[in-house]
Amino acid sequence: MSALRPLPRWADVTLLPLLNLALAIFVSGLVVLMIGQNPLTAIWAIVTGAFGNGYNIGYTLYYATNFIFAGLAVALAAHGGLFNIGGNGQAYVAGLGVIIVALALQNTHWLIVAPAALVAAAVFGGAWAFIPGYLQAKRGSHVVITTIMFNFIASALMIYMLNRVLKPAGVSGPESAMIAETGRMPKLGSFFAPFNYTPVNLSIFIAILALVGVYILLWHTKFGYALRVMGQNPTAARYAGISNSRMIIVTMTLSGALAGLVAFNEVLGVQNRLVLDFMGDVGFVGIAVALMGRNHPIGIGLAALLFGALYQGGNELQYVISGLDRTVVVIIQALVILFTGAMEGLFRPGLQRGFMLFSPEQKADAVAVSSARTEG
């Protein structure tokens, strides 16, 4: 029996994720049907809740912005054979950098505050990821374990900073002072009326630039080539003169910097202050976004938009259909993550066999076998 051949690139990055998404929607429909609701009504409610008007689209794009940054952080590390599961902690620490810079410069103009806060987010997030990268490169500590632990350390650090250092007098909750109006990132609603009263802001354009930048970095630079070689075969990379330890440290630092941009969007553009647990589960959703997007910037952009639509549409679903509470919405989102992320290879063997049946080589083999049987 011949070995299965790889899928064509277009099928790998487009057809396979679409099949997994269709299966996730189908199973989600069965869940909705089991609780006595119409699956088609629920799906339509999610679609209209995500894209039905400018308000809903604004929230979808807001979620997608965070998911782009988180997905790129995971994907960049993955190309180097690393699994950065510490996006939440890296963005948490980056939030400290953003708020320190923003409060220091808040009485100037946002055109001054935003670039400085962007650099601070990248530096703080990258520095927090540098440590696990260094520990793996120099001490052999597995990056998955250390990034998970650093998530907890970042959470504890945030609690201390918000309660003991950054909390202003007269405020009871764990949060920092508000950033002045002049220092806040403008909302898109200021320029485009349908997005009024939504949190989407100019950070979405930075997310798009990040997609382009990561694509150029990975496929059009010497560093990107060395990174992908290390991810495919560390031994071959070492024999080619690539310093794997240096690449690991630099890659994790860049990955953390990308994750830190989530804090830039949230702190400067949405919350306008630093609050506890502003990350939610963005860092972990970024893993599913990267997997579904096949670690490619174009795929990550589309997957981030999908998950943004699921979050916003899911939030609207519970108000449109009274029988569906937040728990059912979380189940639907989890099923999509399950089939598009953890089980992304479910249809791969069948697709590979199907494409082999129609490949020129397979047809030639079939003709040769048929001719041999005829001659025999």
Side-chain angles (χ1 to χ4, degrees):
M1 183 177 179
S2 59
L4 295 177
R5 298 190 179 102
L7 289 172
R9 182 64 176 169
W10 69 269
D12 193 28
V13 301
T14 304
L15 182 58
L16 187 61
L18 287 177
L19 287 174
N20 289 326
L21 178 60
L23 180 60
I25 293 173
F26 175 75
V27 176
S28 300
L30 294 179
V31 173
V32 174
L33 188 63
M34 288 172 60
I35 62 176
Q37 299 292 338
N38 188 333
L40 296 179
T41 303
I43 292 173
W44 181 247
I46 291 176
V47 173
T48 56
F51 301 107
N53 53 52
Y55 179 85
N56 294 341
I57 294 173
Y59 266 92
T60 297
L61 293 178
Y62 152 64
Y63 289 121
T65 302
N66 284 339
F67 295 152
I68 286 173
F69 291 137
L72 286 175
V74 175
L76 183 66
H79 278 287
L82 304 167
F83 190 17
N84 180 12
I85 203 171
N88 266 20
Q90 290 146 22
Y92 240 163
V93 173
L96 292 174
V98 173
I99 197 63
I100 291 171
V101 169
L103 291 178
L105 301 176
Q106 63 179 339
N107 293 320
T108 58
H109 192 276
W110 71 267
L111 285 173
I112 298 175
V113 178
L118 184 70
V119 172
V123 169
F124 275 64
W128 198 249
F130 167 86
I131 304 172
Y134 178 86
L135 291 175
Q136 171 153 336
K138 301 298 185 180
R139 296 292 182 265
S141 302
H142 201 289
V143 73
V144 171
I145 303 300
T146 51
T147 50
I148 290 175
M149 295 304 297
F150 268 63
N151 282 342
F152 290 102
I153 296 172
S155 180
L157 174 65
M158 183 66 67
I159 292 172
Y160 174 81
M161 293 296 293
L162 286 177
N163 281 289
R164 299 298 183 90
V165 180
L166 295 174
K167 184 169 71 173
V171 175
S172 58
E175 61 183 52
S176 72
M178 292 289 293
I179 302 171
E181 288 279 352
T182 55
R184 300 176 185 178
M185 178 72 75
K187 304 285 196 298
L188 285 189
S190 303
F191 310 99
F192 190 52
F195 289 155
N196 278 340
Y197 310 110
T198 67
V200 62
N201 57 78
L202 296 183
S203 297
I204 190 172
F205 298 109
I206 297 175
I208 295 172
L209 290 176
L211 290 171
V212 176
V214 170
Y215 173 79
I216 294 173
L217 177 68
L218 286 173
W219 282 281
H220 294 280
T221 66
K222 184 188 296 184
F223 173 83
Y225 176 76
L227 175 64
R228 289 182 288 117
V229 170
M230 182 184 72
Q232 293 292 327
N233 194 324
T235 303
R238 185 170 61 253
Y239 276 103
I242 298 172
S243 172
N244 287 350
S245 60
R246 183 180 69 85
M247 290 298 298
I248 289 172
I249 294 172
V250 174
T251 300
M252 283 300 298
T253 302
L254 291 176
S255 178
L258 287 168
L261 298 186
V262 177
F264 174 79
N265 178 41
E266 283 289 332
V267 176
L268 195 67
V270 180
Q271 306 289 346
N272 301 134
R273 65 193 190 283
L274 188 62
V275 297
L276 197 63
D277 198 28
F278 71 86
M279 276 295 296
D281 58 355
V282 171
F284 298 106
V285 175
I287 298 172
V289 169
L291 288 172
M292 186 176 183
R294 311 295 299 151
N295 291 325
H296 193 284
I298 294 177
I300 288 171
L302 295 175
L305 185 62
L306 169 65
F307 278 94
L310 285 173
Y311 267 64
Q312 172 56 21
N315 292 335
E316 293 292 321
L317 176 64
Q318 57 189 328
Y319 301 112
V320 175
I321 303 178
S322 59
L324 296 181
D325 60 12
R326 180 62 185 166
T327 304
V328 177
V329 174
V330 172
I331 291 174
I332 294 173
Q333 293 170 346
L335 285 170
V336 173
I337 293 175
L338 174 66
F339 286 108
T340 60
M343 299 177 65
E344 63 87 21
L346 185 63
F347 290 105
R348 185 181 298 277
L351 280 177
Q352 288 175 314
R353 293 187 182 94
F355 275 95
M356 285 178 65
L357 289 176
F358 296 100
S359 66
E361 296 85 355
Q362 194 72 12
K363 289 181 179 178
D365 292 343
V367 170
V369 171
S370 178
S371 300
R373 288 177 179 174
T374 302
E375 291 175 359

